[in-house]
Amino acid sequence: MDIDYTVGEVELSYKPKFKSLHQVTCSEDAYKYLLPTYKEGTICYKEYFKVLFLNQAKQVLGYTLISEGGITETCADVRVILQAALLTNSVAIILAHNHPSGNLKPSRQDMEITKQVKNAAQLMRITVLDHLILTDAGYYSFSDEGEL
């Protein structure tokens, strides 16, 4: 029996778009950076889970949409989050999602995904700096509240 053990070639690349990078020094900086990434009217419509990627100097390399859900939830896959962090050579990340209800209190699922990502990222020497819950009127920071 002839078995072909070859695999397809994987090509990785990352091309930064910005010449000057914004630095994130606090949760408010991250909120101000992420809020405009929501198209007008969508932050109150359904949940979106995004990740902000940072270099060693805590400068923003970029962000990506990890998942788009419904009115009350979205499913974020830890593997997809870490894959994107590794591809961007990030040393730190900030997790973020919105609550269309306007409620800033984290759910049990919010706490669980934060813990899962933080534990998995530690293995890769990537630091989870924060997890923000965003609304159009404000935000909740896991880091500021001692929940990280």
Side-chain angles (χ1 to χ4, degrees):
M1 177 168 25
D2 246 355
I3 300 175
D4 184 6
Y5 290 101
T6 61
V7 294
E9 181 180 345
V10 176
E11 184 178 324
L12 306 177
S13 70
Y14 170 69
K15 297 174 188 164
K17 288 185 174 185
F18 313 107
K19 292 196 188 261
S20 64
L21 301 175
H22 295 38
Q23 189 173 36
V24 175
T25 59
C26 62
S27 59
E28 187 175 359
D29 290 344
Y31 176 70
K32 287 180 177 177
Y33 186 89
L34 286 163
L35 191 60
T37 69
Y38 289 86
K39 293 179 185 169
E40 190 174 337
T42 61
I43 200 165
C44 298
Y45 176 57
K46 61 183 174 179
E47 279 199 25
Y48 300 90
F49 197 103
K50 299 181 180 189
V51 177
L52 198 57
F53 305 105
L54 306 167
N55 65 15
Q56 185 70 29
K58 295 185 182 173
Q59 295 171 314
V60 176
L61 298 170
Y63 77 94
T64 193
L65 174 66
I66 296 297
S67 65
E68 185 176 325
I71 297 167
T72 58
E73 65 187 355
T74 187
C75 180
D77 190 323
V78 176
R79 295 165 295 190
V80 174
I81 293 168
L82 290 180
Q83 176 190 43
L86 291 169
L87 288 173
T88 57
N89 286 330
S90 298
V91 298
I93 58 176
I94 295 174
L95 310 174
H97 75 283
N98 63 306
H99 279 179
S101 66
N103 180 4
L104 289 174
K105 184 178 179 195
S107 68
R108 183 179 50 78
Q109 292 88 350
D110 295 340
M111 302 292 256
E112 286 176 13
I113 190 68
T114 304
K115 184 178 179 181
Q116 289 172 1
V117 174
K118 182 180 175 186
N119 290 341
Q122 278 180 323
L123 294 172
M124 302 293 175
R125 297 179 54 202
I126 297 170
T127 305
V128 176
L129 294 176
D130 208 343
H131 183 170
L132 300 179
I133 298 173
L134 297 87
T135 70
D136 56 351
Y139 68 95
Y140 175 93
S141 162
F142 279 63
S143 181
D144 292 353
E145 298 300 325
E147 296 290 339
L148 201 60

